């Protein structure tokens, strides 16, 4: 009779990188449960257009804002600057069901996600490169969608 642990031997091994990306996606999903996500080293002098998000009580953005922010962060990490610029300059977010008021939270979340990924690259001394960072964002998106954890308004 097989022991209750025998099934563990049948599992496919998970690489260290896959485990790391899953863990990062899990932690980011947890951070995104609250609005605003945690920000370190906040310099009020350089907030610019994001200042109102920190100075006033703002509503949690709709789930579509998070989805679009993930799209833009992936473009940023892929260095698809033309697509990114076209999207923002021509207000393509309006075509995606967002409003003009969603622009600042969208850009903030995009920057936050991009900075989280670049920080991951630095923390791993460049071992996690941009393609893996985009993979991590894909995992985050799947995690948020699968668990219906994209924040609702």
């Amino acid at each position: 009779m097989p022991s209750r642990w025998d099934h563990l031997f049948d599992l496919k091994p998970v690489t260290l990188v896959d485990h790391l990306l899953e863990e990062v996606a899990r932690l980011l999903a947890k951070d995104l449960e609250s609005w605003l996500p945690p920000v370190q080293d906040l310099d009020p002098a350089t907030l610019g257009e994001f200042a109102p998000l920190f100075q006033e009580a703002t509503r949690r953005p709709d789930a579509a804002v998070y989805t679009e922010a993930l799209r833009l962060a992936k473009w940023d990490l892929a260095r698809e600057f033309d697509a990114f610029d076209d999207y923002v300059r021509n207000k393509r977010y309006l075509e995606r069901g967002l409003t003009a008021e969603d622009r600042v939270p969208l850009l903030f979340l995009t920057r936050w996600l991009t900075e989280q990924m670049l920080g991951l690259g630095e923390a791993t001394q460049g071992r996690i490169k941009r393609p893996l960072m985009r993979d991590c964002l894909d995992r985050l998106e799947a995690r948020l969608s699968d668990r219906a954890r994209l924040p609702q308004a």
Side-chain angles (χ1 to χ4, degrees), residues 91-127:
K91 301 179 181 176
R92 303 276 186 228
Y93 50 89
L94 296 174
E95 299 168 8
R96 299 273 186 184
L98 304 184
T99 65
E101 292 79 31
D102 291 325
R103 180 183 174 279
V104 172
L106 170 65
L107 294 177
F108 171 77
L109 282 172
T110 300
R111 176 148 329 148
W112 186 85
L113 289 164
T114 302
E115 291 296 325
Q116 296 301 307
M117 291 298 96
L118 294 175
L120 175 62
E122 288 177 21
T124 60
Q125 299 172 347
R127 290 183 189 99

Short mmCIF file of all heavy atoms in Angstrom, two decimals, residues 91-127:
data_model
loop_
_atom_site.label_atom_id
_atom_site.label_comp_id
_atom_site.label_asym_id
_atom_site.label_seq_id
_atom_site.Cartn_x
_atom_site.Cartn_y
_atom_site.Cartn_z
N LYS A 91 -4.76 58.14 -26.19
CA LYS A 91 -5.77 57.79 -25.18
C LYS A 91 -6.50 56.49 -25.53
O LYS A 91 -7.72 56.39 -25.44
CB LYS A 91 -6.76 58.94 -25.00
CG LYS A 91 -6.09 60.21 -24.56
CD LYS A 91 -7.07 61.34 -24.40
CE LYS A 91 -6.32 62.61 -23.98
NZ LYS A 91 -7.19 63.75 -23.88
N ARG A 92 -5.72 55.49 -25.90
CA ARG A 92 -6.30 54.18 -26.24
C ARG A 92 -7.01 53.54 -25.05
O ARG A 92 -7.85 52.66 -25.23
CB ARG A 92 -5.22 53.24 -26.76
CG ARG A 92 -4.45 53.76 -27.94
CD ARG A 92 -5.15 53.49 -29.23
NE ARG A 92 -4.30 53.89 -30.35
CZ ARG A 92 -4.73 54.61 -31.36
NH1 ARG A 92 -5.99 54.99 -31.42
NH2 ARG A 92 -3.91 54.95 -32.32
N TYR A 93 -6.67 53.97 -23.86
CA TYR A 93 -7.34 53.43 -22.66
C TYR A 93 -8.82 53.73 -22.69
O TYR A 93 -9.62 52.98 -22.12
CB TYR A 93 -6.69 53.94 -21.37
CG TYR A 93 -6.51 55.44 -21.29
CD1 TYR A 93 -7.50 56.25 -20.79
CD2 TYR A 93 -5.32 56.03 -21.72
CE1 TYR A 93 -7.33 57.62 -20.72
CE2 TYR A 93 -5.15 57.39 -21.65
CZ TYR A 93 -6.15 58.19 -21.16
OH TYR A 93 -5.99 59.55 -21.09
N LEU A 94 -9.23 54.81 -23.36
CA LEU A 94 -10.65 55.12 -23.47
C LEU A 94 -11.36 54.05 -24.31
O LEU A 94 -12.52 53.72 -24.04
CB LEU A 94 -10.84 56.51 -24.09
CG LEU A 94 -10.30 57.68 -23.28
CD1 LEU A 94 -10.42 58.98 -24.06
CD2 LEU A 94 -10.99 57.78 -21.93
N GLU A 95 -10.65 53.51 -25.31
CA GLU A 95 -11.21 52.45 -26.14
C GLU A 95 -11.36 51.14 -25.36
O GLU A 95 -12.12 50.27 -25.74
CB GLU A 95 -10.32 52.20 -27.36
CG GLU A 95 -10.18 53.41 -28.26
CD GLU A 95 -9.06 53.25 -29.28
OE1 GLU A 95 -8.49 52.13 -29.40
OE2 GLU A 95 -8.76 54.24 -29.96
N ARG A 96 -10.61 51.03 -24.28
CA ARG A 96 -10.63 49.82 -23.45
C ARG A 96 -11.63 49.92 -22.30
O ARG A 96 -11.62 49.10 -21.39
CB ARG A 96 -9.24 49.55 -22.88
CG ARG A 96 -8.19 49.33 -23.92
CD ARG A 96 -8.17 47.91 -24.28
NE ARG A 96 -7.08 47.61 -25.19
CZ ARG A 96 -6.92 46.43 -25.70
NH1 ARG A 96 -7.74 45.46 -25.37
NH2 ARG A 96 -5.95 46.20 -26.53
N GLY A 97 -12.44 50.95 -22.31
CA GLY A 97 -13.47 51.09 -21.29
C GLY A 97 -13.07 51.91 -20.08
O GLY A 97 -13.83 52.00 -19.12
N LEU A 98 -11.88 52.50 -20.10
CA LEU A 98 -11.45 53.35 -19.00
C LEU A 98 -11.93 54.77 -19.24
O LEU A 98 -12.33 55.13 -20.35
CB LEU A 98 -9.93 53.32 -18.85
CG LEU A 98 -9.29 51.94 -18.67
CD1 LEU A 98 -7.79 52.08 -18.45
CD2 LEU A 98 -9.93 51.18 -17.53
N THR A 99 -11.87 55.58 -18.20
CA THR A 99 -12.28 56.98 -18.31
C THR A 99 -11.05 57.87 -18.20
O THR A 99 -9.95 57.41 -17.85
CB THR A 99 -13.27 57.34 -17.19
OG1 THR A 99 -12.58 57.25 -15.93
CG2 THR A 99 -14.48 56.42 -17.18
N ALA A 100 -11.25 59.14 -18.46
CA ALA A 100 -10.15 60.10 -18.33
C ALA A 100 -9.62 60.13 -16.89
O ALA A 100 -8.42 60.34 -16.67
CB ALA A 100 -10.61 61.49 -18.76
N GLU A 101 -10.50 59.91 -15.90
CA GLU A 101 -10.07 59.90 -14.50
C GLU A 101 -9.20 58.69 -14.17
O GLU A 101 -8.50 58.69 -13.16
CB GLU A 101 -11.29 59.93 -13.56
CG GLU A 101 -12.07 61.23 -13.60
CD GLU A 101 -12.98 61.34 -14.81
OE1 GLU A 101 -13.49 60.29 -15.30
OE2 GLU A 101 -13.18 62.46 -15.30
N ASP A 102 -9.25 57.66 -15.00
CA ASP A 102 -8.45 56.46 -14.77
C ASP A 102 -7.00 56.62 -15.24
O ASP A 102 -6.16 55.78 -14.94
CB ASP A 102 -9.06 55.25 -15.49
CG ASP A 102 -10.36 54.81 -14.87
OD1 ASP A 102 -10.50 54.91 -13.64
OD2 ASP A 102 -11.25 54.36 -15.62
N ARG A 103 -6.70 57.69 -15.95
CA ARG A 103 -5.36 57.87 -16.55
C ARG A 103 -4.26 57.88 -15.48
O ARG A 103 -3.27 57.16 -15.61
CB ARG A 103 -5.32 59.16 -17.35
CG ARG A 103 -3.98 59.43 -17.99
CD ARG A 103 -3.96 60.77 -18.73
NE ARG A 103 -2.64 61.06 -19.21
CZ ARG A 103 -1.66 61.58 -18.47
NH1 ARG A 103 -1.88 61.88 -17.21
NH2 ARG A 103 -0.48 61.81 -18.99
N VAL A 104 -4.41 58.68 -14.43
CA VAL A 104 -3.35 58.80 -13.42
C VAL A 104 -3.17 57.48 -12.66
O VAL A 104 -2.04 57.02 -12.53
CB VAL A 104 -3.61 59.99 -12.47
CG1 VAL A 104 -2.63 59.99 -11.31
CG2 VAL A 104 -3.51 61.31 -13.25
N PRO A 105 -4.24 56.83 -12.17
CA PRO A 105 -4.03 55.53 -11.52
C PRO A 105 -3.42 54.49 -12.48
O PRO A 105 -2.59 53.68 -12.07
CB PRO A 105 -5.43 55.11 -11.07
CG PRO A 105 -6.20 56.37 -10.98
CD PRO A 105 -5.63 57.29 -12.01
N LEU A 106 -3.81 54.54 -13.75
CA LEU A 106 -3.26 53.62 -14.75
C LEU A 106 -1.75 53.81 -14.88
O LEU A 106 -0.98 52.85 -14.82
CB LEU A 106 -3.94 53.84 -16.10
CG LEU A 106 -3.32 53.13 -17.30
CD1 LEU A 106 -3.43 51.62 -17.14
CD2 LEU A 106 -3.96 53.61 -18.59
N LEU A 107 -1.33 55.05 -15.03
CA LEU A 107 0.10 55.32 -15.18
C LEU A 107 0.87 55.02 -13.89
O LEU A 107 1.99 54.53 -13.93
CB LEU A 107 0.32 56.77 -15.62
CG LEU A 107 -0.21 57.10 -17.02
CD1 LEU A 107 -0.02 58.57 -17.33
CD2 LEU A 107 0.44 56.23 -18.08
N PHE A 108 0.24 55.30 -12.75
CA PHE A 108 0.89 54.98 -11.47
C PHE A 108 1.09 53.47 -11.33
O PHE A 108 2.18 53.01 -10.99
CB PHE A 108 0.07 55.51 -10.29
CG PHE A 108 0.57 55.02 -8.97
CD1 PHE A 108 1.70 55.57 -8.41
CD2 PHE A 108 -0.06 53.97 -8.31
CE1 PHE A 108 2.20 55.10 -7.19
CE2 PHE A 108 0.42 53.49 -7.11
CZ PHE A 108 1.55 54.06 -6.55
N LEU A 109 0.04 52.69 -11.57
CA LEU A 109 0.15 51.23 -11.45
C LEU A 109 1.16 50.67 -12.46
O LEU A 109 1.92 49.76 -12.13
CB LEU A 109 -1.21 50.57 -11.65
CG LEU A 109 -2.15 50.62 -10.46
CD1 LEU A 109 -3.53 50.11 -10.84
CD2 LEU A 109 -1.59 49.82 -9.30
N THR A 110 1.18 51.24 -13.65
CA THR A 110 2.15 50.81 -14.66
C THR A 110 3.56 51.04 -14.15
O THR A 110 4.42 50.14 -14.21
CB THR A 110 1.94 51.56 -15.98
OG1 THR A 110 0.62 51.29 -16.47
CG2 THR A 110 2.96 51.15 -17.02
N ARG A 111 3.81 52.22 -13.63
CA ARG A 111 5.15 52.52 -13.12
C ARG A 111 5.47 51.64 -11.91
O ARG A 111 6.58 51.15 -11.78
CB ARG A 111 5.25 53.99 -12.73
CG ARG A 111 6.61 54.27 -12.12
CD ARG A 111 7.24 55.59 -12.30
NE ARG A 111 6.97 56.32 -13.48
CZ ARG A 111 6.94 57.66 -13.51
NH1 ARG A 111 7.12 58.35 -12.40
NH2 ARG A 111 6.73 58.29 -14.63
N TRP A 112 4.49 51.44 -11.03
CA TRP A 112 4.72 50.62 -9.84
C TRP A 112 5.10 49.19 -10.25
O TRP A 112 6.06 48.62 -9.73
CB TRP A 112 3.46 50.62 -8.97
CG TRP A 112 3.64 49.92 -7.66
CD1 TRP A 112 4.15 50.44 -6.50
CD2 TRP A 112 3.32 48.55 -7.36
NE1 TRP A 112 4.15 49.49 -5.52
CE2 TRP A 112 3.65 48.32 -6.01
CE3 TRP A 112 2.78 47.51 -8.10
CZ2 TRP A 112 3.46 47.09 -5.40
CZ3 TRP A 112 2.59 46.28 -7.50
CH2 TRP A 112 2.93 46.07 -6.16
N LEU A 113 4.35 48.62 -11.18
CA LEU A 113 4.64 47.26 -11.64
C LEU A 113 6.01 47.17 -12.31
O LEU A 113 6.78 46.24 -12.05
CB LEU A 113 3.55 46.77 -12.61
CG LEU A 113 2.20 46.49 -11.99
CD1 LEU A 113 1.12 46.39 -13.07
CD2 LEU A 113 2.24 45.21 -11.16
N THR A 114 6.31 48.14 -13.15
CA THR A 114 7.61 48.16 -13.83
C THR A 114 8.74 48.27 -12.82
O THR A 114 9.74 47.55 -12.90
CB THR A 114 7.67 49.31 -14.85
OG1 THR A 114 6.60 49.16 -15.79
CG2 THR A 114 8.99 49.32 -15.59
N GLU A 115 8.58 49.15 -11.84
CA GLU A 115 9.62 49.32 -10.82
C GLU A 115 9.79 48.07 -9.97
O GLU A 115 10.90 47.72 -9.58
CB GLU A 115 9.30 50.53 -9.92
CG GLU A 115 9.44 51.86 -10.62
CD GLU A 115 10.85 52.17 -11.08
OE1 GLU A 115 11.80 51.79 -10.37
OE2 GLU A 115 10.99 52.77 -12.16
N GLN A 116 8.69 47.37 -9.70
CA GLN A 116 8.79 46.13 -8.94
C GLN A 116 9.62 45.11 -9.72
O GLN A 116 10.46 44.40 -9.15
CB GLN A 116 7.40 45.56 -8.63
CG GLN A 116 6.55 46.43 -7.74
CD GLN A 116 7.19 46.68 -6.40
OE1 GLN A 116 7.59 45.77 -5.69
NE2 GLN A 116 7.30 47.95 -6.03
N MET A 117 9.38 45.02 -11.02
CA MET A 117 10.11 44.07 -11.84
C MET A 117 11.58 44.46 -11.98
O MET A 117 12.47 43.60 -11.90
CB MET A 117 9.47 43.94 -13.23
CG MET A 117 8.11 43.27 -13.23
SD MET A 117 8.15 41.56 -12.63
CE MET A 117 7.70 41.75 -10.93
N LEU A 118 11.85 45.73 -12.20
CA LEU A 118 13.25 46.17 -12.29
C LEU A 118 13.98 45.96 -10.97
O LEU A 118 15.16 45.61 -10.95
CB LEU A 118 13.31 47.62 -12.75
CG LEU A 118 12.80 47.88 -14.18
CD1 LEU A 118 12.80 49.36 -14.48
CD2 LEU A 118 13.60 47.10 -15.21
N GLY A 119 13.26 46.16 -9.86
CA GLY A 119 13.83 45.88 -8.55
C GLY A 119 14.16 44.41 -8.38
O GLY A 119 15.17 44.05 -7.77
N LEU A 120 13.32 43.54 -8.93
CA LEU A 120 13.58 42.11 -8.90
C LEU A 120 14.87 41.80 -9.67
O LEU A 120 15.70 41.01 -9.22
CB LEU A 120 12.40 41.33 -9.49
CG LEU A 120 12.56 39.83 -9.64
CD1 LEU A 120 12.76 39.17 -8.29
CD2 LEU A 120 11.36 39.24 -10.36
N GLY A 121 15.03 42.44 -10.82
CA GLY A 121 16.26 42.25 -11.60
C GLY A 121 17.49 42.67 -10.82
O GLY A 121 18.51 41.97 -10.82
N GLU A 122 17.39 43.81 -10.13
CA GLU A 122 18.52 44.28 -9.32
C GLU A 122 18.79 43.34 -8.15
O GLU A 122 19.94 43.04 -7.85
CB GLU A 122 18.24 45.69 -8.79
CG GLU A 122 18.31 46.77 -9.83
CD GLU A 122 17.96 48.13 -9.27
OE1 GLU A 122 18.05 48.32 -8.04
OE2 GLU A 122 17.58 49.00 -10.07
N ALA A 123 17.73 42.90 -7.49
CA ALA A 123 17.89 42.04 -6.32
C ALA A 123 18.52 40.69 -6.69
O ALA A 123 19.18 40.08 -5.86
CB ALA A 123 16.54 41.82 -5.64
N THR A 124 18.31 40.26 -7.92
CA THR A 124 18.88 38.99 -8.37
C THR A 124 20.18 39.21 -9.15
O THR A 124 20.65 38.29 -9.82
CB THR A 124 17.88 38.21 -9.24
OG1 THR A 124 17.54 39.00 -10.39
CG2 THR A 124 16.64 37.85 -8.45
N GLN A 125 20.73 40.40 -9.04
CA GLN A 125 21.98 40.76 -9.70
C GLN A 125 21.94 40.48 -11.20
O GLN A 125 22.88 39.98 -11.79
CB GLN A 125 23.15 40.05 -9.04
CG GLN A 125 23.30 40.41 -7.58
CD GLN A 125 24.34 39.58 -6.86
OE1 GLN A 125 24.81 38.57 -7.35
NE2 GLN A 125 24.69 40.03 -5.67
N GLY A 126 20.79 40.80 -11.80
CA GLY A 126 20.63 40.66 -13.24
C GLY A 126 20.30 39.26 -13.73
O GLY A 126 20.21 39.04 -14.94
N ARG A 127 20.08 38.33 -12.84
CA ARG A 127 19.74 36.97 -13.27
C ARG A 127 18.33 36.89 -13.84
O ARG A 127 18.06 36.06 -14.70
CB ARG A 127 19.90 36.00 -12.11
CG ARG A 127 21.34 35.78 -11.71
CD ARG A 127 21.45 34.74 -10.59
NE ARG A 127 22.79 34.70 -10.06
CZ ARG A 127 23.18 35.32 -8.95
NH1 ARG A 127 22.31 36.02 -8.26
NH2 ARG A 127 24.42 35.23 -8.54
#
